Amino acid sequence: MSTTEPEALPGTTQDPPSYLSHRQILVVLGGLMAGMFLAALDQSIVGTALPQIVSEFNSLDKLSWVVTAYLLTSTASTPLWGKISDLYGRRPLFIAAIVTFLGGSVLAAMAQNIEMLIGFRAVQGLGAGGLMSLAFATIADVVPPRERGKYMGYFGAVFGLSSVAGPLLGGLLTDGPGWRWIFWINLPIGVVALAVVAAVLKLPHTKRSHKIDYLGASIVTGAVTALLLAVSWAGPDYGWGSTTTLALLIGAVVLSVAFVLVELRVSEPIIPMDLFKGRIFAGYSAYAFLLGFAMFGALIFLPLYLQAVKEMSPTESGLALLPMIVGIFSASIPSGQLMSRTGSYKIYPIISAVLVGGAMLMLSTLAIDTAYWQLAIYMFVMGAGLGLSMQITVTAAQNSVDRKHMGTATSTMTFFRSMGGAIGTAVYGAVLTSRLKVHLEDVVPAAAKDSIDSLAKAANSVQALHALPQPPRSWALTSLVGAMGDVFLVSLPFLAIALVLAIITPEQKLAAREDGAAKEVDLESAASMH
């Protein structure tokens, strides 16, 4: 399928586009990038500090939940942010998302134990879900699909800048005043973002009757929570065949079915099921889920490898991640420019799945003595793969739906990517903790088998690992690296499915400005519509 007109959903009509001029778009971009930088910086800054955080609280077994809690709430809330913004407008919701995120940051900075930190990270995630999805939805409101690629390059620059600044800043703060400052630093950045958004993010919005689907939002939150608890607890705590795990899995399935039934009946669903009648939207939603699943494994466990195995400081490990950032930059900006020039995008998700899969395969071969130059190559390939798909699949999905569903469609895409990341993080955490003991059984000599439990416990803390005498230290590190290799291998079947989806999902030519009755919008008068 290759047309110049966006694929309207059954029973809908296309709203006439009201795109902004280039100058107006740049003004709006300033506000969007300020908010997105806040959320993107937090993802990368926390990753570098995680080994120190879990070492202080002696809880490596809960490392994945510091990330998972954030992803859980950002995932579950994303469709709701999109739906409410479709009804009330993007600007007030974007401001609310920033305020929520800053509130969670303050609470996280004051956490006294790992459980409190996990809970407050969930509050942060609630705000982050709005920041990410609303930024992409707003761009879709004011930029034609054909031109969206070059503006998405600016977002790529924000991700790249935050990815460079985050690990470095996280390392400097962790080594200096302490890891709590990775949350305090959000306050001045957030105040600037609030000021910029309030000043420049003035967009036209037509108010219409509304009815928020709170029942659907509650059910999807319950389904996501049950699934994440099942995969997180199955490995280290209960086992896959336990009554608790099976009950949670059954609950997740039942709630998911109930969610679909509710969405088919309510007048204002947070995720309209009609969206999935389009093969493009359905295909790239599934693709986003699978790539999110794979991506977060590398982002979480590479800093742990660098600090625990290579004995780098948090600052050094942040700098060591630069090849991945270079990879993202080198792929995302050129591919966005080419997509805008040609109106075609199908090849990029295909190459992305191949590159990310290759990177995961290479990362699975890591050993204690792997040279950094080899790891740098692996990270560059991973970054290039991610850069080829992050914004492109969102643009392709946006191009395939009716404009009145733009916010909902964008947030749904973000939902599936975050859902994949949340489940992937939980699965990887379970794999790491369960496989660690298996590798210890293989590595530790028969005469020292009684030390396996204490070595597994020592792996909860980077400092405890480094304090071990030889040879137990070598046994523990070898087993930890082996367990990480298993983590990376787990992603390969999912990336294979993503590759198949990228191949079979049809392409639809991106709509250009002249394909609709585009008109300039007066931003000053638009502000009065709120």
Side-chain angles (χ1 to χ4, degrees):
M1 187 171 89
S2 181
T3 67
T4 56
E5 292 296 327
E7 178 189 66
L9 296 170
T12 67
T13 58
Q14 287 291 102
D15 296 334
S18 298
Y19 298 129
L20 304 187
S21 68
H22 176 68
R23 182 187 61 80
Q24 291 172 322
I25 290 169
L26 291 180
V27 171
V28 172
L29 268 179
L32 298 179
M33 291 193 294
M36 181 171 276
F37 180 74
L38 192 67
L41 181 70
D42 192 73
Q43 287 183 345
S44 57
I45 200 173
V46 171
T48 312
L50 270 181
Q52 295 294 321
I53 294 173
V54 298
S55 294
E56 178 176 321
F57 292 137
N58 196 31
S59 52
L60 178 65
D61 57 324
K62 294 185 176 69
L63 178 148
S64 65
W65 268 103
V66 178
V67 179
T68 301
Y70 181 92
L71 291 172
L72 167 62
T73 50
S74 65
T75 299
S77 66
T78 291
L80 197 57
W81 284 111
K83 170 54 67 176
I84 297 176
S85 76
D86 277 344
L87 302 177
Y88 291 103
R90 313 283 187 228
R91 182 170 176 261
L93 269 294
F94 205 70
I95 292 173
I98 293 176
V99 171
T100 303
F101 184 86
L102 293 181
S105 298
V106 171
L107 292 171
M110 298 189 292
Q112 298 301 305
N113 54 53
I114 194 69
E115 288 76 19
M116 290 177 68
L117 180 61
I118 290 169
F120 298 147
R121 284 284 287 161
V123 178
Q124 271 192 302
L126 189 63
L131 292 174
M132 290 293 188
S133 61
L134 294 177
F136 285 122
T138 304
I139 281 296
D141 287 339
V142 299
V143 182
R146 183 68 173 265
E147 297 178 22
R148 221 166 279 162
K150 60 185 178 184
Y151 292 108
M152 287 295 191
Y154 292 109
F155 283 122
V158 169
F159 276 109
L161 177 61
S162 66
S163 299
V164 173
L168 182 57
L169 189 58
L172 289 171
L173 292 173
T174 303
D175 288 337
W179 62 262
R180 295 179 188 277
W181 280 89
I182 66 174
F183 299 113
W184 288 123
I185 197 69
N186 288 334
L187 293 185
I189 299 172
V191 169
V192 172
L194 269 177
V196 174
V197 167
V200 306
L201 197 59
K202 299 173 182 179
L203 300 173
H205 174 70
T206 304
K207 289 183 171 64
R208 60 190 179 92
S209 60
H210 54 80
K211 186 175 182 181
I212 305 301
D213 179 21
Y214 293 111
L215 177 60
S218 301
I219 293 174
V220 76
T221 301
V224 171
T225 303
L227 182 58
L228 289 177
L229 288 175
V231 296
S232 296
W233 290 349
D237 297 328
Y238 296 106
W240 288 103
S242 71
T243 303
T244 301
T245 302
L246 291 176
L248 286 168
L249 289 173
I250 292 171
V253 171
V254 170
L255 287 171
S256 298
V257 172
F259 174 71
V260 173
L261 294 176
V262 167
E263 296 304 276
L264 287 171
R265 294 174 181 271
V266 296
S267 58
E268 292 280 358
I270 57 172
I271 301 181
M273 293 297 110
D274 276 350
L275 289 175
F276 298 97
K277 292 181 180 178
R279 288 177 60 195
I280 296 174
F281 185 87
Y284 284 128
S285 294
Y287 181 94
F289 173 89
L290 294 166
L291 208 72
F293 186 103
M295 175 175 66
F296 281 93
L299 298 181
I300 292 170
F301 292 110
L302 281 176
L304 180 62
Y305 172 82
L306 292 167
Q307 293 180 38
V309 181
K310 293 301 185 183
E311 299 187 26
M312 292 184 181
S313 69
T315 303
E316 291 169 338
S317 70
L319 288 171
L321 292 172
L322 280 176
M324 184 181 294
I325 314 314
V326 174
I328 292 175
F329 261 118
S330 65
S332 64
I333 295 178
S335 62
Q337 295 286 342
L338 285 170
M339 181 175 70
S340 291
R341 193 173 304 144
T342 65
S344 299
Y345 55 80
K346 185 178 176 69
I347 189 63
Y348 303 118
I350 294 174
I351 299 174
S352 172
V354 172
L355 290 178
V356 175
M360 286 297 189
L361 188 60
M362 291 186 285
L363 287 170
S364 71
T365 67
L366 288 178
I368 291 179
D369 58 352
T370 299
Y372 174 72
W373 67 265
Q374 290 178 268
L375 178 59
I377 293 173
Y378 304 164
M379 290 191 291
F380 177 84
V381 175
M382 168 68 72
L386 296 177
L388 281 173
S389 65
M390 285 194 297
Q391 300 104 318
I392 287 176
T393 51
V394 172
T395 301
Q398 289 171 338
N399 185 59
S400 70
V401 302
D402 192 299
R403 282 174 57 83
K404 74 177 183 180
H405 290 305
M406 195 61 69
T408 303
T410 306
S411 63
T412 301
M413 283 290 293
T414 308
F415 169 82
F416 278 105
R417 185 170 62 230
S418 297
M419 183 70 178
I423 294 176
T425 301
V427 168
Y428 291 150
V431 170
L432 183 74
T433 51
S434 61
R435 293 295 297 171
L436 179 61
K437 278 200 172 184
V438 173
H439 285 283
L440 283 169
E441 290 280 357
D442 294 337
V443 171
V444 176
K449 291 293 185 186
D450 58 347
S451 67
I452 287 178
D453 286 340
S454 62
L455 290 176
K457 187 175 181 180
N460 281 327
S461 166
V462 173
Q463 287 86 353
L465 278 172
H466 292 169
L468 288 172
Q470 290 291 8
R473 179 180 178 183
S474 178
W475 301 338
L477 289 176
T478 300
S479 300
L480 181 62
V481 173
M484 286 184 188
D486 295 338
V487 164
F488 295 125
L489 286 174
V490 164
S491 67
L492 292 180
F494 297 93
L495 288 167
I497 299 172
L499 176 60
V500 173
L501 280 172
I503 293 171
I504 65 174
T505 299
E507 181 179 35
Q508 178 174 296
K509 204 78 169 179
L510 295 177
R513 184 178 293 262
E514 60 271 15
D515 292 329
K519 60 183 179 182
E520 300 261 326
V521 175
D522 184 348
L523 293 182
E524 292 302 319
S525 62
S528 64
M529 298 177 66
H530 284 289

